[in-house]
Amino acid sequence: MNVTVVGAGVAGLTVATELAERGCKVEVIDRAESFGRDTCSWYAGGMLAPWCEGDTAEEPVVRLGQEALSWWRKHVPEVIENGSLVVAPARDTGELARFARRTRAHETIDAATLAELEPDLQGRFRQALFFTGEAHLDPRKAIAALTEKLAGSGVNISYGTALEDHRISGSVVVDTRGFAARDVLKDLRGVKGEMLVLKAKGVEFSRPVRLLHPRSPVYLVPRSDGHFMVGATQIEAEDRGRITARGMVDLLNAAYAVHPAFAEAEIIETGADVRPAFPDNLPRLRWHGRTLHVNGLFRHGFLLAPACARMAAEAIDSPGYKPELMDEDHRERSIA
């Protein structure tokens, strides 16, 4: 089977990986000139936190997201399996209790245990939730590792190549363009997210830390060399423009609330992009002719891409397979 994957973000590269491992001849195209600010997944947080997502996400996100832990461990280096923490200021302890009721696979820890896990949080919070089975990775390093691995498997990745200008050589097309596919997926909407990368002196974390707040909960994900990714706002908007003043203030205030050393942090990078989402915020697989659309991963790109890729590869490989995330009226493929 020859397959052309459109889009070299996390969805496209995981699909390409699954297909290549099944023996398909795969090519990947992306209209961006290279992996960077103009591509999907550039601003991702890289948290593999299925149980934390149970606070706001539907059950399939929690269940299918658990596949991501073993998938990423198998395919890329530097998956950090230190769990994740959820904290709240003393005035918002009700939010922590609510989060605990809506999620599972965690333990409630006191201030002393929190200090043992993260010494730089000593004296900062009275309680925390510790999700021991969760993990995180650096998204940009993970994408680079997948790209290198695919190239070594004979998969050609062509940047600077738009779908409309490319002569499709595959017998099947997998469209993973994200929000750019709204010309076909009419019920796809955009949800803007904003993020910062800070470089802080005098503070280190071993795992992601989520700060709960009734209005603007955020997370801090540690990266190398004292860098932290701080994200992410959630705005019902389709503007891929720069971060807003409100987004910047909310993210910086939240980082400061976690640790005052962030007040002196250097702002290394700011970013904003649009997450593709369907009305129920769950991803979809849809056949349109010989094109299989894999889209709507919302804020769960690295978490749900492995499960979506597995279903996409099985749908292409086995015509009778009925993917869980495929709409009833899009279950039959039609390949000329």
Side-chain angles (χ1 to χ4, degrees):
M1 178 78 72
N2 295 334
V3 183
T4 299
V5 177
V6 185
V10 66
L13 296 182
T14 51
V15 168
T17 299
E18 287 285 321
L19 289 169
E21 289 178 350
R22 291 168 180 254
C24 295
K25 183 179 180 180
V26 184
E27 64 171 347
V28 180
I29 64 172
D30 196 295
R31 69 185 308 152
E33 294 302 319
S34 63
F35 179 63
R37 288 178 173 269
D38 294 330
T39 55
C40 296
S41 309
W42 182 252
Y43 295 116
M47 295 185 297
L48 307 179
W51 294 283
C52 273
E53 291 303 320
D55 175 45
T56 57
E58 299 291 336
E59 182 275 337
V61 174
V62 179
R63 173 170 46 83
L64 296 174
Q66 294 173 46
E67 295 184 28
L69 297 164
S70 59
W71 197 95
W72 287 109
R73 189 188 308 122
K74 174 184 176 182
H75 290 92
V76 303
E78 299 184 41
V79 175
I80 302 170
E81 300 183 72
N82 289 339
S84 58
L85 289 166
V86 179
V87 299
R91 67 179 184 275
D92 294 324
T93 53
E95 287 295 305
L96 194 66
R98 179 198 59 77
F99 197 98
R101 290 193 300 269
R102 293 182 58 86
T103 57
R104 57 187 179 87
H106 59 73
E107 57 181 293
T108 301
I109 59 174
D110 59 17
T113 305
L114 176 61
E116 291 176 5
L117 291 171
E118 296 291 357
D120 286 340
L121 290 181
Q122 182 173 7
R124 300 294 303 158
F125 303 97
R126 297 175 184 173
Q127 285 186 326
L129 301 178
F130 183 32
F131 291 78
T132 57
E134 297 186 336
H136 70 284
L137 49 73
D138 185 320
R140 298 174 190 178
K141 290 182 179 180
I143 291 291
L146 278 189
T147 300
E148 182 179 357
K149 192 170 183 178
L150 284 167
S153 301
V155 176
N156 183 51
I157 301 177
S158 300
Y159 286 100
T161 306
L163 174 60
E164 56 271 20
D165 299 328
H166 182 65
R167 182 177 180 181
I168 298 296
S169 59
S171 59
V172 177
V173 176
V174 182
D175 188 332
T176 68
R177 290 178 295 153
F179 190 58
R182 66 192 183 280
D183 57 333
V184 179
L185 305 175
K186 301 300 183 182
D187 54 341
L188 198 66
R189 79 185 200 280
V191 182
K192 184 177 180 177
E194 302 164 310
M195 56 78 76
L196 306 172
V197 176
L198 305 179
K199 184 174 183 179
K201 296 181 179 179
V203 57
E204 294 182 2
F205 295 158
S206 300
R207 52 189 60 81
V209 177
R210 294 181 186 237
L211 177 72
L212 300 183
H213 185 279
R215 183 173 60 87
S216 54
V218 300
Y219 49 80
L220 288 81
V221 186
R223 295 187 179 167
S224 58
D225 301 323
H227 289 68
F228 294 81
M229 186 273 195
V230 186
T233 60
Q234 190 168 304
I235 305 167
E236 292 288 335
E238 299 180 354
D239 174 22
R240 294 190 66 188
R242 298 182 183 277
I243 188 171
T244 63
R246 174 179 290 182
M248 176 82 78
V249 169
D250 286 346
L251 294 173
L252 289 174
N253 282 341
Y256 179 78
V258 172
H259 198 289
F262 284 109
E264 304 301 323
E266 180 182 357
I267 299 176
I268 301 297
E269 181 182 351
T270 67
D273 208 344
V274 174
R275 309 176 180 101
F278 290 109
D280 60 0
N281 293 334
L282 291 176
R284 294 285 191 280
L285 279 68
R286 289 180 179 172
W287 283 107
H288 285 90
R290 66 187 185 125
T291 298
L292 177 61
H293 291 268
V294 180
N295 214 314
L297 274 69
F298 186 41
R299 52 177 287 170
H300 308 121
F302 279 79
L303 185 64
L304 291 185
C308 289
R310 170 182 57 79
M311 294 181 197
E314 189 68 22
I316 291 169
D317 198 37
S318 303
Y321 174 68
K322 308 297 184 183
E324 174 184 348
L325 296 176
M326 186 168 286
D327 293 338
E328 287 295 331
D329 56 345
H330 291 84
R331 285 187 178 271
E332 296 300 326
R333 74 178 187 180
S334 174
I335 302 174

